[in-house]
Amino acid sequence: MTIRALMGACAFGAFAAVAGAETITVATVNNGDMIRMQGMMDAFNAKYPDIQVEWVTLEENVLRQRVTTDISTKGGAFDVMTIGMYETPIWGANGWLVPLNDLSADYDAGDILPAMAGGLSHDGTLYAAPFYGESSMIMYRTDLMEKAGLEMPEAPTWTFIREAAAAMTDRANDINGICLRGKAGWGEGGAFITAMSNSFGARWFDMDWNAQFDTQPWKDTLEFFVGMMSESGPAGYATNGFNENLSLFQQGKCGMWIDATVAASFVTNPNDSTVADKVGFALAPDNGLGKRSNWLWAWALAIPAGTQKEAAAKTFIEWATSKEYIELVAEKEGWANVPPGARTSLYENPNYMEVPFAKMTLDSILSADPNNSTVEPSPYVGVQFAAIPEFAGIASEVSQEFSAVYAGQQTVDEALAKAQAITNDAMEAAGYR
């Protein structure tokens, strides 16, 4: 049997071929929960010895590019893809994904949190199974907050966050008051600044699909972000994404970090985090306009249409996103480290509800509304993205312009003018305007 070349990607879990076994190739992101899953494969191999799994593990921006290219060109490099709420409904509508409407009764698809199932479906059909679900929230150093003489509200404003960040910053000891994503990429820094902009009253498009970067709310968002990060953020934040900020926080170099709720298990794990016993949680900030700056996302597993190994791929997905897998992780690594945000039953489990960030994660997920994410009406579905096929390309370019501001290479006004032109030109070419 031919094992596909990994084209220089980092591969994990390359198991010896078993006579007669079928090998599936799984593309995934280099996030901690996905790496943890690869360490659990002995259990899968014991249960399904006739299915071998080859991993292609990639940085987030690279993963998105690779799987998008592969599925749109019918490249056939992968049998299972890790994708999210943006791609799934669009690709499902295109007929690019295998429907997951025949999962086994034991799998209990009805247990998937409605927010996750809805975001991973098209016309009521599930096209990807959530490995974990997330929103975003504030993770903060309780000791530094106390030292600053402040108390974190459960639902803080951006004004409070900026003041607290300045108070917690200690340049002499390499402590940044706040760490946030500035890295280019529609799902990296682009996701953060879009979610933040919602709370400032901004939106990507008006109801006629005209770009809105020439409006005051977008200017206010970027100026506030740049000002706060210049005062209290780490040097080089323009290139920091999820993994870079996670590392900084775990090393004790961040007073606050606003990012994916899934990070909570990593910042509170004493094996990895030097501040594990000093972390508190709060809802993502608002600006008094009725919208918080938290997003909604799931990293999910899907099967590209045309794979020759659909049955094996579906078996793997059922195992990896099952209640059984959650129990396996809990047994081996504790309830705090199970994949969060995907199943209703997890939040009914008394063992899990003792985890300090469980309730805040669920509250954050439930408060994100992809159908009503902006202060002014908008024509799109999505919190940190607009669920249209053109968005990924447009937002990737726009996020590069914003990152250039963070790096001091251009002004806010220059970036917003370019974003306006990029977006309107692309929407006109696509026939929206």
Side-chain angles (χ1 to χ4, degrees), residues 320-345:
T321 63
S322 66
K323 298 177 188 177
E324 174 191 355
Y325 178 81
I326 290 174
E327 294 279 353
L328 175 67
V329 176
E331 178 186 344
K332 289 184 175 294
E333 302 201 17
W335 280 102
N337 295 309
V338 305
R343 286 186 171 269
T344 300
S345 57

Side-chain angles (χ1 to χ4, degrees), residues 416-429:
L416 289 173
K418 291 176 182 177
Q420 183 78 3
I422 288 166
T423 305
N424 274 340
D425 287 351
M427 296 300 283
E428 191 166 326

Side-chain angles (χ1 to χ4, degrees), residues 68 78 104 130 172 176 180 213 269-270 305 330 357 381 424:
T68 300
F78 310 116
S104 68
N176 309 286
L180 300 173
F213 292 104
N269 187 333
F357 50 82
V381 173
N424 274 340

Side-chain angles (χ1 to χ4, degrees), residues 321-377:
T321 63
S322 66
K323 298 177 188 177
E324 174 191 355
Y325 178 81
I326 290 174
E327 294 279 353
L328 175 67
V329 176
E331 178 186 344
K332 289 184 175 294
E333 302 201 17
W335 280 102
N337 295 309
V338 305
R343 286 186 171 269
T344 300
S345 57
L346 181 63
Y347 293 92
E348 296 170 347
N349 186 315
N351 294 311
Y352 189 69
M353 290 312 291
E354 291 179 4
V355 172
F357 50 82
K359 184 178 185 301
M360 188 61 69
T361 294
L362 184 62
D363 289 347
S364 298
I365 288 172
L366 295 179
S367 69
D369 184 358
N371 295 304
N372 186 27
S373 62
T374 55
V375 174
E376 297 294 327

Side-chain angles (χ1 to χ4, degrees), residues 261-280:
T261 52
V262 73
S265 69
F266 301 112
V267 298
T268 57
N269 187 333
N271 295 326
D272 302 314
S273 176
T274 62
V275 295
D277 60 343
K278 303 179 181 69
V279 184

Side-chain angles (χ1 to χ4, degrees), residues 115-164:
M116 299 301 152
L120 297 170
S121 298
H122 172 69
D123 281 350
T125 296
L126 189 72
Y127 281 95
F131 181 68
Y132 67 74
E134 65 178 43
S135 183
S136 51
M137 65 182 177
I138 304 168
M139 294 158 277
Y140 67 95
R141 289 273 299 279
T142 55
D143 58 329
L144 296 182
M145 188 70 71
E146 183 179 353
K147 183 179 178 182
L150 299 170
E151 184 174 340
M152 175 69 80
E154 185 172 296
T157 64
W158 276 111
T159 299
F160 174 85
I161 293 302
R162 186 169 182 172
E163 292 171 354

